């Protein structure tokens, strides 16, 4: 069949524009029918055009090739699994239903978005190196800053954990794949679309309201705001679909004997995260729907003259976006638990405490949202309860930190790159956590609200926290994906440059914030100049360190040291199959006979395979 | 390993090693989890509504406007009835009465369509627009979001009707119907809540 007719990216090239065009014409026809003037409304056109394009892209890539015939009552076809597994690099650009391929697709896409958004940060740090307007306009600064925020959060941190989870979790559970492989592929392909949608906003004037998109900035801003709202919807849909998939997989597809308390802690973390995503993400969808209706239809949700209220937006938005910060870090906690236990050669300290603290964070996370609004003029009686719950949430987090330290205590530490990142994470995350407690207290927040202190705080928890865990996870599971190690010497260099320059970049921001330098500004008082120059130089070095990582990542896939199936002597299931794992993971379901962290315990076993040995079965099956 | 006679045979083969909560198959379980996120989506608009009415003490309905609870209560009855007829489809299939199942399904689709039609008439006669004020925006977005769900449900029911006519469902293979049934009941329950909150709670109650 012609390349433009088969389900692939080439088919997207014509189906997506065509669908967009059809939907736009339909909208024009409807406006004409209802006698609306003028017939052409650019905000509406861009909205329906993008949505049509997204649907067309999904049709083109082949997301609905099975579902459409089913809907229309075609006879059921047994799945031939032809869309499963990757035989060449081309298979990574298809609608692939294999959880390992999707995991790699996720990680590659998110890392590209990470580099793009990091680049934006370097550009506006260059602008901020010196007071006064140097080479980008304030509008361009706002655009870059907003893109940096939303792409890092929705395009990198949330989905990369979905990517790592996608690769690892079915293996850890002893399952052949995720529960809904087609839904899994669909939710992946929404992600590059969300990234492209955000970036395309530059064509019409990027959104400039930060990643929070508070009205009236968002309702009265340039057309990029509408595109921002669409991107959030697409990215949110992707993350909800993945979360549903993870939950069903974890609940129903654990191998025989895998009780809840024999699950690795990454699975626990993902369980809590997925529950959070399902319950919280629709609130950002709702808040962006309201924003979009205000812009596209002209509803007065946030127009005070007509009874609207902008604080309502902040309530709805933060009802998602505070739980979202736990969505961005809980899977990272899971990764750290895995890495630390394996590398310290000790059973994890306080397994159940860590597992329940994830659940505790997920539940408490819903009761703290208004701490973002202490200075907003919100109802005063909400402040103190929110302050108390916010401080309470430090307890489950502290339990985790102490459990990790307890695991490290008297362990036989193997300081691999993954372990360096894990220990570095504990250091930086604690700093971010402590400033979090400060910010939770109302009087202190009044002083530093919307200053660089807040920027320092959340970069310590998100960059020093989540991104470090991402690196720990990538270095740790890289041998499982490619069967080769990443270079340890480059990895160490990458770690030390990241660790040092993270602190040099973000720590001085605390002082700037305490002195009152506001965030989200393209220019500042010359008295802040010295530290800003210092921060910018550190930020450039931090960015340069990332190039090492990219080189290491790409180069080691071909030329890395072969690792064998279980280089770190780990016990969890993913290490008991070959590297890279065979298609469908296990030919016979493994039997789980003990906890996942029995390191250093005589005779401890997590899993065993019923005879014959899995390697032989695999050869027979795929001969 | 749990025995699941009623697996969905359209999707990929299901590997289930663990007993399912409430005896739900993987697909219904996934749907129930998804519906939890739908509750949150409606919840975000309810949150806006609740914020307006409690903290801002926003008058509902706004002076000079009327939200017709009486007429819409008939519509509510129609939608609730469609939930029962939808359940009758499942019962009929379980007793292997295909023509009865088709009749109940057609009736369900008809009731759902009548609901949407009456809703459209209400939109035209209600006397305010989404752009009129915050009440209009909240009213139309809540009822509109629900209407979109009813519309999607009608599409799904139609797909099921096609398969029903072709005889694809049997007592052993009715996951598709079970899933649509759960979804349709959900849409119904959301409407009952929505009707109570938006139509029946006048200003002096809160």
């Amino acid at each position: 069949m012609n390349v433009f007719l088969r389900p692939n990216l080439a088919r997207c090239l014509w189906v997506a524009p065509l669908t967009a065009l059809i939907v736009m014409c339909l909208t024009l026809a409807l406006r004409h029918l209802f006698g609306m003037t003028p017939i052409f409304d650019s905000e509406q056109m861009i909205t329906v055009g993008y949505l049509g394009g997204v649907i067309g892209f999904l049709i083109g890539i082949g997301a609905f090739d099975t579902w459409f015939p089913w809907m229309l009552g075609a006879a059921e076809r047994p799945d031939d699994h032809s869309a499963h597994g990757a035989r060449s690099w081309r298979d990574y650009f298809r609608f692939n239903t294999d959880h390992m391929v999707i995991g790699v697709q996720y990680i590659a896409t998110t890392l590209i978005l990470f580099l793009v958004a990091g680049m934006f940060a370097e550009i506006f740090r260059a602008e901020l190196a010196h007071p006064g307007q140097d080479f980008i306009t304030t509008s361009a600064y706002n655009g870059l800053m907003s893109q940096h925020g939303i792409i890092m959060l929705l395009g990198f941190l949330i989905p990369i954990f979905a990517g790592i989870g996608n690769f690892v979790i079915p293996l850890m559970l002893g399952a052949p794949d995720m529960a809904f492989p087609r839904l899994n592929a669909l939710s992946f392909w929404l992600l590059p679309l969300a990234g492209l949608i955000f970036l395309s906003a530059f064509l019409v004037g990027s959104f400039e309201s930060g990643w929070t998109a508070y009205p009236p900035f968002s309702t009265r801003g340039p057309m990029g705001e509408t595109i921002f709202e669409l991107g959030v919807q697409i990215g949110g849909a992707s993350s909800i679909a993945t979360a549903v998939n993870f939950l069903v997989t974890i609940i129903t597809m654990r191998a025989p004997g895998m009780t809840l308390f024999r699950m690795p802690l990454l699975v626990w973390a993902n369980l809590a995260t997925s529950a959070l995503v399902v319950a919280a993400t629709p609130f950002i969808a709702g808040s962006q729907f309201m924003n979009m209706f205000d812009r596209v239809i002209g509803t007065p949700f946030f127009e005070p003259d007509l009874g609207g209220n902008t604080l309502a937006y902040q309530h709805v938005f933060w009802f998602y976006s505070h739980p979202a910060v736990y969505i961005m870090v809980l899977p990272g906690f899971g990764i750290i638990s895995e890495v630390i236990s394996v590398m310290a050669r000790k059973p994890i300290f306080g397994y159940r405490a860590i597992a329940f603290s994830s659940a505790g964070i997920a539940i408490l996370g819903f009761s703290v949202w208004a701490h973002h609004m202490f200075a907003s003029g919100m109802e005063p009686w909400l402040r103190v309860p929110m302050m108390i719950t916010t401080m309470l949430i430090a307890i489950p987090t502290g339990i985790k930190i102490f459990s990790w330290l307890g695991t490290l205590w008297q362990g036989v530490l193997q300081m691999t790159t993954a372990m360096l990142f894990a220990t570095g994470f504990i250091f930086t995350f604690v700093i971010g956590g402590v400033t979090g407690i400060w910010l939770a207290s109302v009087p202190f927040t009044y002083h530093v609200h919307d200053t660089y202190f807040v920027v320092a705080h959340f970069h310590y928890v998100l960059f020093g926290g989540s991104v470090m865990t991402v690196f720990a996870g990538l270095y740790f599971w890289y041998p499982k994906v490619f069967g080769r190690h990443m270079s340890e010497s480059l990895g160490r260099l990458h770690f030390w440059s990241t660790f040092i320059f993270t602190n040099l970049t973000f720590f001085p921001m605390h002082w700037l914030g305490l002195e009152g330098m506001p965030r989200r500004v393209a220019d500042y008082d010359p008295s802040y100049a010295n530290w800003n120059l210092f921060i910018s130089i550190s930020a450039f070095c931090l960015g340069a360190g990332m190039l090492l990582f990219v080189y290491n990542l790409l180069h080691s896939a071909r030329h890395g040291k072969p690792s064998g199936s279980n280089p770190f002597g780990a016990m969890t299931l993913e290490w008991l199959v070959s590297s890279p794992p065979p298609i469908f993971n296990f030919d016979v379901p493994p039997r789980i006979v003990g906890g996942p962290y029995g390191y250093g315990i005589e005779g401890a076993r997590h899993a065993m395979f019923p005879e014959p040995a899995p390697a032989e079965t695999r050869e027979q099956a795929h001969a | 390993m749990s025995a699941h006679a009623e697996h969905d045979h359209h999707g990929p083969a299901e590997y289930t090693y663990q007993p399912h909560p409430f005896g739900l198959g993987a697909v219904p379980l996934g749907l129930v989890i998804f519906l939890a996120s739908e509750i949150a989506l409606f919840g975000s608009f309810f949150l806006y509504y609740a914020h307006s009415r409690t903290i801002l003490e926003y008058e509902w309905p706004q002076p000079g406007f009327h939200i017709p609870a009486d007429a819409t209560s008939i519509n509510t009855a129609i939608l609730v009835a469609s939930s029962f007829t939808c359940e009758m489809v499942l019962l009929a299939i379980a007793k292997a009465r295909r023509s009865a199942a088709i009749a109940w399904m057609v009736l369900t689709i008809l009731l759902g369509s009548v609901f949407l039609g009456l809703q459209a008439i209400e939109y035209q006669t209600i006397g305010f627009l989404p752009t009129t004020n915050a009440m209009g925006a909240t009213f139309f977005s809540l009822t509109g979001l629900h209407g979109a769900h009813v519309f999607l449900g009608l599409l799904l029911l139609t797909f099921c009707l096609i398969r029903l006519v072709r005889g694809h469902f049997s007592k052993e293979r009715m996951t598709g119907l079970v899933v649509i049934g759960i979804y349709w009941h959900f849409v119904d329950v959301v409407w009952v809540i929505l009707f109570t909150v938006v139509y029946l709670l006048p200003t002096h109650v809160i």
Side-chain angles (χ1 to χ4, degrees):
Chain A
M1 216 190 325
N2 189 298
V3 67
F4 288 103
L5 296 175
R6 272 181 286 143
N8 57 19
L9 286 171
R11 194 168 74 172
C12 297
L13 282 181
W14 65 272
V15 179
L18 184 69
T19 341
L21 205 65
I22 291 172
V23 179
M24 285 158 95
C25 292
L26 216 61
T27 314
L28 286 178
L30 279 177
R31 281 184 75 89
H32 180 67
L33 199 68
F34 288 105
M36 293 180 196
T37 45
I39 281 190
F40 188 86
D41 178 301
S42 52
E43 291 275 349
Q44 281 181 11
M45 279 299 126
I46 208 160
T47 309
V48 297
Y50 268 79
L51 288 178
V54 166
I55 293 168
F57 180 89
L58 292 175
I59 294 173
I61 198 81
F64 302 124
D65 277 15
T66 323
W67 284 329
F68 277 164
W70 182 85
M71 284 177 192
L72 300 174
E76 292 159 20
R77 282 175 303 157
D79 207 359
D80 59 358
H81 299 298
S82 60
H84 223 83
R87 282 151 212 89
S88 78
W89 61 270
R90 281 191 188 83
D91 288 343
Y92 287 92
F93 293 88
R94 282 196 301 114
F95 188 78
N96 206 313
T97 50
D98 187 343
H99 76 97
M100 288 182 284
V101 176
I102 293 172
V104 174
Q105 286 175 326
Y106 256 116
I107 293 169
T109 313
T110 49
L111 284 179
I112 291 169
L113 289 173
F114 172 64
L115 293 179
V116 170
M119 205 60 216
F120 293 161
E122 303 293 359
I123 296 172
F124 67 70
R125 255 344 295 184
E127 166 68 34
L128 288 172
H130 185 259
Q133 193 180 323
D134 297 322
F135 67 98
I136 53 174
T137 61
T138 49
S139 174
Y141 172 88
N142 289 342
L144 288 170
M145 179 270 296
S146 310
Q147 293 268 10
H148 168 76
I150 195 68
I151 292 179
M152 280 295 185
L153 300 179
L154 245 71
F156 170 61
L157 272 179
I158 294 175
I160 199 167
F161 287 125
I164 294 175
N166 237 306
F167 193 95
V168 177
I169 282 181
L171 284 163
M172 277 184 163
L173 293 171
D177 204 310
M178 298 280 278
F180 307 120
R182 268 186 225 114
L183 181 67
N184 199 15
L186 175 67
S187 44
F188 162 70
W189 281 105
L190 287 173
L191 173 70
L193 287 178
L196 285 176
I197 289 174
F198 287 133
L199 291 174
S200 72
F202 279 122
L203 299 176
V204 293
S206 179
F207 44 94
E208 298 176 18
S209 50
W211 81 279
T212 52
Y214 278 7
F217 298 128
S218 55
T219 48
R220 294 177 192 169
M223 196 187 262
E225 298 286 351
T226 308
I227 297 173
F228 167 88
E229 285 140 19
L230 288 164
V232 170
Q233 304 292 8
I234 304 298
S238 157
S239 102
I240 293 173
T242 314
V244 171
N245 217 335
F246 273 131
L247 282 172
V248 177
T249 309
I250 295 171
I251 292 171
T252 66
M253 292 180 59
R254 284 169 283 133
M258 178 79 87
T259 57
L260 284 180
F261 291 108
R262 284 177 181 170
M263 295 195 310
L265 285 165
L266 176 64
V267 181
W268 266 103
N270 233 293
L271 190 66
T273 310
S274 302
L276 265 179
V277 170
V278 166
T281 309
F283 282 90
I284 197 175
S287 67
Q288 296 315 318
F289 272 133
M290 290 177 205
N291 254 343
M292 196 155 88
F293 291 158
D294 270 17
R295 293 182 62 87
V296 175
I297 308 177
T299 55
F301 275 111
F302 307 124
E303 289 296 330
D305 304 349
L306 295 170
N309 185 274
T310 51
L311 276 187
Y313 174 86
Q314 299 187 21
H315 278 297
V316 178
F317 177 81
W318 287 114
F319 199 78
Y320 161 73
S321 297
H322 197 81
V325 306
Y326 302 111
I327 293 169
M328 291 164 210
V329 80
L330 274 178
F333 290 166
I335 292 171
I336 296 302
S337 302
E338 300 298 324
V339 171
I340 283 192
S341 183
V342 172
M343 299 297 177
R345 312 308 303 161
K346 269 184 66 189
I348 193 95
F349 180 85
Y351 172 92
R352 287 190 185 212
I354 295 182
F356 284 128
S357 63
S358 291
I361 289 174
I363 294 164
L364 268 179
F366 279 107
S367 62
V368 299
W369 79 91
H371 67 213
H372 294 271
M373 301 163 60
F374 284 155
S376 69
M378 145 191 101
E379 309 63 49
W381 56 267
L382 253 174
R383 286 187 203 134
V384 174
M386 289 289 166
M387 175 170 105
I388 293 170
T389 49
T390 307
M391 290 185 170
L392 278 181
I393 216 163
I395 295 174
T397 320
I399 288 174
K400 281 177 191 287
I401 301 279
F402 280 113
S403 297
W404 294 323
L405 294 179
T407 312
L408 290 174
W409 180 253
Q410 295 197 328
V412 186
L413 304 187
Q414 326 254 308
M415 292 314 276
T416 56
T417 312
M419 183 64 158
L420 282 174
F421 272 106
T423 41
F425 153 81
I426 295 179
F427 181 87
T428 43
F429 189 78
V430 165
I431 294 179
V434 168
T435 52
I437 301 281
W438 295 14
L439 285 168
S441 70
V442 179
F444 185 76
T445 292
Y446 266 73
H447 181 61
V448 296
H449 183 79
D450 260 352
T451 67
Y452 263 70
F453 193 89
V454 179
V455 180
H457 160 71
F458 69 71
H459 278 94
Y460 259 95
V461 284
L462 289 178
F463 196 93
S466 306
V467 178
M468 291 271 210
T469 69
V470 167
F471 285 134
L474 291 181
Y475 280 99
F476 186 63
W477 280 296
Y478 189 89
K480 188 43 66 184
V481 180
F482 291 102
R484 290 175 186 277
H485 282 288
M486 279 169 90
S487 158
E488 278 290 304
S489 43
L490 277 179
R492 272 159 212 280
L493 205 60
H494 171 224
F495 167 72
W496 285 112
S497 81
T498 306
F499 182 75
I500 291 169
F501 290 114
T502 300
N503 285 297
L504 292 187
T505 305
F506 299 118
F507 205 85
M509 290 185 184
H510 289 118
W511 299 322
L512 284 176
L514 287 173
E515 285 169 21
M517 177 172 164
R519 64 190 280 210
R520 292 178 170 160
V521 287
D523 191 10
Y524 51 83
D525 190 85
S527 63
Y528 304 125
N530 291 344
W531 276 122
N532 268 296
L533 181 63
F534 181 82
I535 289 170
S536 289
I537 293 170
S538 307
F540 298 147
C541 299
L542 183 61
M546 294 303 145
L547 299 179
L548 283 178
F549 170 72
V550 173
Y551 172 77
N552 197 354
L553 193 81
L554 297 177
H555 188 256
S556 303
R558 279 279 170 77
H559 308 285
K561 193 171 60 148
S563 63
S565 65
N566 192 358
F568 304 120
M571 293 177 80
T572 43
L573 272 168
E574 80 272 26
W575 298 104
L576 305 186
V577 293
S578 62
S579 303
I583 202 165
F584 294 116
N585 306 347
F586 308 93
D587 297 295
V588 278
R591 196 153 284 282
I592 311 302
V593 293
Y597 299 113
Y599 300 107
I601 297 173
E602 196 75 28
R605 291 193 75 172
H606 176 50
M608 42 202 265
F609 290 95
E611 296 300 322
E616 292 167 32
T617 330
R618 195 171 60 250
E619 276 154 29
Q620 285 157 12
H622 295 286
Chain B
M1 208 177 289
S2 65
H4 266 281
E6 50 172 52
H7 275 338
D8 186 353
H9 291 271
H10 326 119
E14 284 183 41
Y15 301 82
T16 49
Y17 304 127
Q18 300 288 336
H20 290 207
F22 314 113
L24 289 171
V27 178
L29 182 66
L31 180 86
V32 169
I33 295 170
F34 172 69
L35 291 183
S37 82
E38 290 275 45
I39 291 174
L41 181 59
F42 280 100
S44 60
F45 286 93
F46 279 123
L47 188 63
Y48 180 91
Y49 168 89
H51 182 262
S52 294
R53 291 206 55 186
T54 56
I55 287 167
L56 305 178
E57 294 176 353
Y58 185 68
E59 219 173 314
W60 189 281
Q62 284 281 288
F65 293 105
H66 175 63
I67 294 181
D70 305 348
T72 314
S73 59
I74 298 166
N75 218 0
T76 308
I78 289 172
L79 196 65
V80 171
S82 81
S83 234
F84 286 97
T85 57
C86 179
E87 203 56 29
M88 291 307 286
V89 178
L90 294 174
L91 285 179
I93 284 290
K95 290 180 184 163
R97 291 185 192 148
R98 189 150 68 95
S99 45
I102 292 171
W104 284 117
M105 185 62 104
V106 171
L107 186 58
T108 311
I109 294 174
L110 275 179
L111 286 173
S113 312
V114 169
F115 173 86
L116 272 191
L118 288 177
Q119 199 65 23
I121 292 170
E122 183 185 294
Y123 277 7
Q124 284 176 346
T125 54
I126 198 158
F128 56 85
L129 290 169
T131 49
T132 307
N133 50 24
M135 177 191 73
T138 317
F139 175 85
F140 277 98
S141 56
L142 270 170
T143 53
L145 187 64
H146 178 266
H149 280 77
V150 175
F151 182 72
L152 181 68
L154 286 175
L155 280 183
L156 296 174
L157 287 170
T158 311
F159 298 147
C160 272
L161 182 63
I162 295 172
R163 302 190 77 76
L164 206 55
V165 171
R166 296 198 174 183
H168 288 213
F169 292 115
S170 64
K171 191 182 176 187
E172 288 76 32
R173 299 176 69 182
M174 53 192 283
T175 310
L177 283 177
V178 171
V179 165
I180 304 302
I182 297 174
Y183 176 83
W184 194 250
H185 295 329
F186 166 81
V187 169
D188 195 16
V189 170
V190 166
W191 176 258
V192 171
I193 298 168
L194 202 156
F195 179 68
T196 314
V197 170
V198 174
Y199 289 81
L200 294 184
L201 280 183
T203 293
H204 63 262
V205 174
I206 300 178

